[in-house]
Each structure stands twice: as C-alpha cells, then as structure tokens.
Amino acid sequence: MPYSGSSVTVTAKNSKGTELFVGTASGVDADSYLDGVAQEQISDVSFPKAASHRFTPGDEKPEADIADRDWWISTDTGKTVAKTFDLDAEPQVLVIAPANSDDSLDGTTVSLQMRVKGVFALSLLGIAGTIILAGFSVFFFMRWWASRIRPPKKGAGRPDSSGPKSGDGPNDGNGPGSGRGSDDDSRRGRRKSTDGRAGKGEPGPATQPISTVQPGTASQAPPRRRDLRNRRSLRTVTAAMLGSGLVLSGCANMPIAKPSNPDVTPYERTAVRPGEAGKFMTNYTESLDKTLGDKGTDLDKIQAAPLIDHTRAQIQIADKAKQKLRAPNFTEVVAGSPSFTEYPMWFYAFGTADKKSTDGDKQLTQVMLVTRESASSDPLVRSASYIPTDQMPTLMADDKGAVKEGPEDFADDMKTASGDVSSFLVDGKAKSGGPEGLKEGGFKSFRDYLGDLRDKDSGFDKVDVDCKPYEDLKFEDMNLSTENGAIGMGEVRCTLTIKAPSDYALDLGDTVEAVKTNDKVGDTIKVDTAHPYVLMKTGDELTAVATDWNVLSSKVE
C-alpha cells in the first residue's frame, strides 16, 4: 500500500455463499506458497477508485492446504472476511482464497477502506490560512500604496499669489509690524509644533539641523517615522507567515493518510521467528510421539535424511526387542538461524532435555538441524544429536532474532573434521591437530564394539570397517556463529564386514537381526552404521561431541 499514517481495512464478500479465507504473511512465505498458482495480484492502490492489478496464470490450487500453513501471521475464515492493518507496520502480503481448495473465488468482491481522519479539518485550516494571508497581503499593499513618497506639488509651501504680498499694506518695511517679521514668527511657530514642544510657554530649540527642514515639507510626517511603520508592518507579515507555517507544520503530524513510497522488498524473515522455537519443538515432539506409536507412519512429514534412516532403524530394533520408543521432553528451547529472503531455509534448534528423557547422570541438550524447502512444505529435521548441557554455547542474535553464520574458515574446519572422525572410527588413532573429544562418548563406544567383535573369543575370522563422511547433505554450508566461536553438525557412515568360519552359526544379536534386509544364508554379514556428531569451535580449539551411534541395516552375503 503506497500510503502511510493511517490504516486500511480490506473486506472480501462472496455472493454465492463460498467460505473465504484471508491471511497475512511475510512476502517470502506468500511468494513461495503461491509460486506457479493462478492468482490476481493487486500491486498498487490509488484512492479512491484506482488499483493496479494483473493476472498470473498457473495451477488451479496450491500444493498444500492453505489453512494448515504455520507461517501465517493472522488468519480468518467466513463468507465475509475483513482485515485491518496499519500502513506504518512491517510490510505484509494479504492473501484472499477459498477456504476449501476445491472451491473458487467466483462471486467474490474485494473493497478497501482507508481511514482518513483529519483530512477535512486540515483542508479547512488550509483554506482559512490562505484567506488570512491574502487579506494581510492586500492590506499592507494598500498601506504601502497610500504612503508612497511623492514629489511635492508646484507651489506647495509658498504664499498664495492672489493674497497680499509682503510690502503691501500700511506696515510695509522692516519695522515691528512688517510682514517679514510676521512670516518669521509663523515659521518659528511651525518649528515649535513639529519639535513636539508646542505646549504653553515652552520655548523651541535655539538651533535645528538644516537637514531636517526642507522647503514645502514642514507639515508632512517625518520620513523616519514612516520607515519605522514599514518595518513594523514587515515584522507583522513575517510573524503571520511564521505563525501559519507553525500551525501547518503541527498539522503534518496528524494521523492522516499520506502518499509514500515504502520499500516493501526484499521481504525478510528468519527461518524460525523469535518466540516460535518453543512452538516448533512442542509440535515436533508431539508429532514424533504419534509417529513412533504408529510404527513410523508419516515419519517423512517431520524428518528427512540422514536422520530418518536412524529413526526407522530404531523403530525396527525397538519392535524386535518389544520396547517402546518416545520422544524427549524439553525444559528449555532456543533456535538460531540467519535471515533469509528466499526458500529453502534452515535453522538449528536446541532443546534441553528433561532428565527423565535421557539416560545417564548428566543433563543433555539435543541439537537439531532443520530445513524447509518451500512455504508449501513442512520443516524437516535432518540431523539430531546430544551434547552435555554445560557445553551448550551461547548464540548471539541480533534485534530480529537472527544469528550470523559461522566464519568461512569454520566451513573448512567442518570438512577436515569429518575426515578426522572417519579416520578415527577406522583405526582408533586421533590425528594431531584434529578435533578433541574423539576418544570419548559415541566415538569410543563404537571403537569398543569393534574391539569386542575382533576379540579372539568372538569366533569371527575377520572384521573390517570402512568409514566415509555423509555427503548427501552439505553440513558445512549450515553452521552458526556463537559468542566465542561457531557450531555445526556432521555425520559419518561406516560399513562393517564381518566374516565367520563356515562351520559357525552367524549370530550378531537382536539389534543386527532386527535391521536385516535379506534372508540369504552365508558366512559374511555387512552392517551399516551412522555416527552423527556436533562440532564446536571455541577460540582456536575444535571439539567433536557424540553421545551415541546407530545401526542402520544389515545383510548377509
């Protein structure tokens, strides 16, 4: 909306009784969701009756149900729907669609009403100010015109030529009664009155500068007074203009609609908005609990590779051992993500697990890497691993809740560390300069498992292992900066080749049996395992943390 200083109400009505949906969203979500969908876009509005719009052809309806999306900022449904929003708020996109995806918008009319409080009063004030200024201008022009300085008329200040001249009459001469004496007296009298001392018995000045008395102008107002009056008039006009300017400037702050050119692109949002981390973790836990209870039904709606491979194997193993799986409960959650202006998105979620949800004495925090391909798809957890809660680093978020990505050299560290982890799982030797923590936790547990298989009492002829970094997900492209360094995740996949003597019966326990993918009889079995870990950098020190490892599948050859 190219206006500011007001609010707008958008109302949609359907004459055919179709249930309508109205929602507001960040532009990056709405653009992604409606990409490839037939739509009518209103891009500009010029009140009162003009609007710029265009039709974009495409599919009849979006891929996902419009009401089920979790990124809507506000929603409403009904045969008549309305939304009022502040034009000075953050830019949003308003979407009107049928609530049922099988319906259409036929018979729907959309109207916009903008609140313009104060416009009429400001208009009257402007007209009144214009009239006042015009009146002042005419008044002072007439004053100026009437008081212009004009040259004296011919004969002004001289005796009338038709009257008696000096020397005519009985007192002609230089005596006391002569006309010359009378004329001098009259001049002195005029000088007294113009000097402001015509009071009774008050004598005039003995002398007076000749420059102040000009022939024929003794009866006119002094030029100095006229200059003062002009200056006072100028001050009055200036004061009136300044006063009007102040009044109008005060009106500029009134809450009225004014044209503006807001920068509405690009739309910015974080993958998880501030305050929504808890909501995401709660929804994910509830969905995971339901899926585990249904033996993995709809697991692909909340997880994706590589994590989904782990969970499916755990469901099979728990079913074989007649155990029940459940999702952890979290006492505290936090999420971090950079600001993105387009899909796909990703973020890290951290949940401090309830002590009853995990084994061991130490309290653990689950670290999850989550991605979202588009606004039509759901967030998918791609990796999950635990770290001790006391090792949880501090994320540094800006005022919008976004966390910067880790430094460029940390991405290189992640690639190098994945090779170091793979090497250690094969030979048990930690390379010099590699990450700390390889001889602890899940890494040590796997090496101990290999040692048991290779023990001479196990009866196996040969146990080989081959490990490689997981490459179907670019972990190094998804990491976050922390207060003292950076944090990221990784995973290594290993394959164990176990060969038994031909006269032995091959038995690797319920765990390996539960994930067998074939029923072939043989003396060699291959077991695939997964080793997720968290990599943290503090200063110049790298630490890899893994609390466990997973058996994924097995097959007999």
Side-chain angles (χ1 to χ4, degrees):
M1 294 291 295
Y3 293 87
S4 63
S6 186
S7 61
V8 163
T9 298
V10 180
T11 303
K13 298 181 180 180
N14 188 275
S15 59
K16 297 183 178 181
T18 301
E19 190 84 359
L20 299 177
F21 170 92
V22 61
T24 58
S26 173
V28 66
D29 296 315
D31 291 346
S32 175
Y33 180 72
L34 297 175
D35 185 29
V37 179
Q39 57 192 281
E40 188 82 24
Q41 296 180 350
I42 300 176
S43 58
D44 192 15
V45 176
S46 299
F47 279 92
K49 293 184 178 181
S52 299
H53 58 92
R54 64 186 179 92
F55 176 74
T56 302
D59 298 334
E60 292 183 357
K61 59 183 180 180
E63 296 179 7
D65 187 6
I66 193 169
D68 290 342
R69 300 299 88 202
D70 61 343
W71 37 256
W72 290 113
I73 298 173
S74 65
T75 61
D76 192 15
T77 56
K79 296 178 182 179
T80 298
V81 290
K83 173 64 181 176
T84 300
F85 54 92
D86 185 359
L87 292 177
D88 296 318
E90 290 294 324
Q92 298 178 19
V93 173
L94 187 141
V95 178
I96 298 172
N100 186 345
S101 60
D102 294 330
D103 293 334
S104 70
L105 290 177
D106 291 342
T108 301
T109 58
V110 179
S111 62
L112 284 78
Q113 293 178 317
M114 184 165 63
R115 183 172 175 265
V116 290
K117 177 182 178 181
V119 171
F120 182 68
L122 183 60
S123 300
L124 291 181
L125 188 59
I127 294 172
T130 302
I131 294 174
I132 292 173
L133 290 176
F136 272 115
S137 300
V138 172
F139 173 75
F140 287 111
F141 175 78
M142 296 302 296
R143 288 287 305 271
W144 171 80
W145 183 267
S147 61
R148 291 183 307 163
I149 299 176
R150 302 176 182 176
K153 295 181 180 180
K154 293 181 179 181
R158 299 180 182 179
D160 191 354
S161 59
S162 62
K165 300 179 180 180
S166 63
D168 293 342
N171 293 325
D172 186 15
N174 294 328
S178 66
R180 187 186 306 273
S182 300
D183 186 51
D184 290 341
D185 290 339
S186 64
R187 290 176 185 174
R188 283 193 295 272
R190 283 196 297 271
R191 283 197 297 271
K192 291 177 181 179
S193 63
T194 58
D195 203 34
R197 297 175 182 176
K200 182 167 55 177
E202 184 175 355
T207 59
Q208 185 170 345
I210 194 169
S211 61
T212 63
V213 180
Q214 299 295 332
T217 62
S219 62
Q220 297 182 12
R224 183 177 300 278
R225 292 185 182 178
R226 185 164 56 252
D227 291 343
L228 291 173
R229 284 197 299 272
N230 288 340
R231 291 180 183 178
R232 284 195 294 269
S233 300
L234 180 60
R235 285 197 296 268
T236 303
V237 173
T238 303
M241 293 179 67
L242 289 175
S244 301
L246 289 174
V247 170
L248 293 176
S249 66
C251 292
N253 293 325
M254 295 176 64
I256 65 168
K258 302 182 287 291
S260 66
N261 294 308
D263 181 14
V264 295
T265 56
Y267 304 106
E268 291 191 7
R269 83 191 284 280
T270 53
V272 170
R273 296 183 181 93
E276 291 188 352
K279 180 180 178 181
F280 166 77
M281 297 289 269
T282 299
N283 292 342
Y284 173 73
T285 298
E286 292 176 352
S287 299
L288 182 58
D289 260 334
K290 184 177 183 300
T291 297
L292 294 176
D294 294 339
K295 298 185 178 181
T297 304
D298 294 331
L299 182 61
D300 56 351
K301 292 184 178 180
I302 58 175
Q303 290 185 359
L307 177 61
I308 195 171
D309 300 334
H310 311 176
T311 307
R312 284 172 174 164
Q314 289 172 357
I315 292 174
Q316 291 177 281
I317 294 170
D319 184 57
K320 178 76 173 179
K322 294 182 173 22
Q323 295 176 343
K324 184 177 181 180
L325 296 175
R326 59 185 177 88
N329 294 320
F330 301 108
T331 59
E332 185 179 356
V333 296
V334 65
S337 166
S339 289
F340 269 42
T341 58
E342 61 183 2
Y343 284 94
M345 295 179 181
W346 60 268
F347 63 92
Y348 276 86
F350 304 86
T352 302
D354 188 311
K355 289 184 178 181
K356 296 180 180 179
S357 299
T358 56
D359 297 329
D361 298 330
K362 287 187 176 181
Q363 189 168 27
L364 301 177
T365 294
Q366 188 175 47
V367 183
M368 292 188 291
L369 175 59
V370 189
T371 63
R372 189 168 195 169
E373 293 300 314
S374 72
S376 298
S377 63
D378 295 318
L380 298 175
V381 182
R382 306 296 299 273
S383 184
S385 187
Y386 286 96
I387 61 174
T389 299
D390 56 9
Q391 294 186 30
M392 172 65 192
T394 302
L395 301 179
M396 305 301 291
D398 62 16
D399 57 351
K400 292 185 177 180
V403 180
K404 291 183 179 180
E405 294 186 59
E408 293 183 6
D409 59 351
F410 183 66
D412 296 332
D413 292 336
M414 293 179 69
K415 290 182 179 179
T416 304
S418 64
D420 294 338
V421 171
S422 300
S423 177
F424 175 81
L425 294 176
V426 171
D427 58 23
K429 298 178 181 179
K431 291 184 178 180
S432 176
E436 300 292 329
L438 294 182
K439 296 182 178 181
E440 303 172 3
F443 304 124
K444 181 179 182 299
S445 174
F446 179 73
R447 290 298 308 173
D448 291 343
Y449 180 75
L450 280 177
D452 292 340
L453 292 177
R454 288 171 174 170
D455 187 272
K456 61 181 180 179
D457 294 333
S458 66
F460 297 114
D461 284 344
K462 188 177 181 181
V463 177
D464 291 331
V465 59
D466 179 51
C467 297
K468 294 180 180 179
Y470 184 84
E471 295 180 347
D472 291 343
L473 182 65
K474 298 297 183 182
F475 285 100
E476 62 271 14
D477 293 339
M478 294 172 284
N479 56 73
L480 295 176
S481 61
T482 62
E483 184 177 20
N484 298 312
I487 186 171
M489 299 189 76
E491 182 166 321
V492 170
R493 293 285 177 94
C494 295
T495 299
L496 300 176
T497 302
I498 306 169
K499 188 173 183 179
S502 57
D503 56 344
Y504 274 63
L506 192 61
D507 183 9
L508 294 175
D510 289 343
T511 297
V512 176
E513 289 290 335
V515 294
K516 280 180 60 176
T517 58
N518 66 354
D519 294 326
K520 184 177 179 180
V521 177
D523 60 358
T524 301
I525 186 168
K526 287 191 175 181
V527 180
D528 294 323
T529 61
H531 307 265
Y533 61 90
V534 178
L535 187 68
M536 294 179 286
K537 187 171 185 178
T538 305
D540 294 329
E541 182 179 323
L542 278 175
T543 303
V545 180
T547 57
D548 206 350
W549 58 281
N550 302 278
V551 175
L552 298 182
S553 64
S554 64
K555 63 180 180 179
V556 178
E557 293 183 346

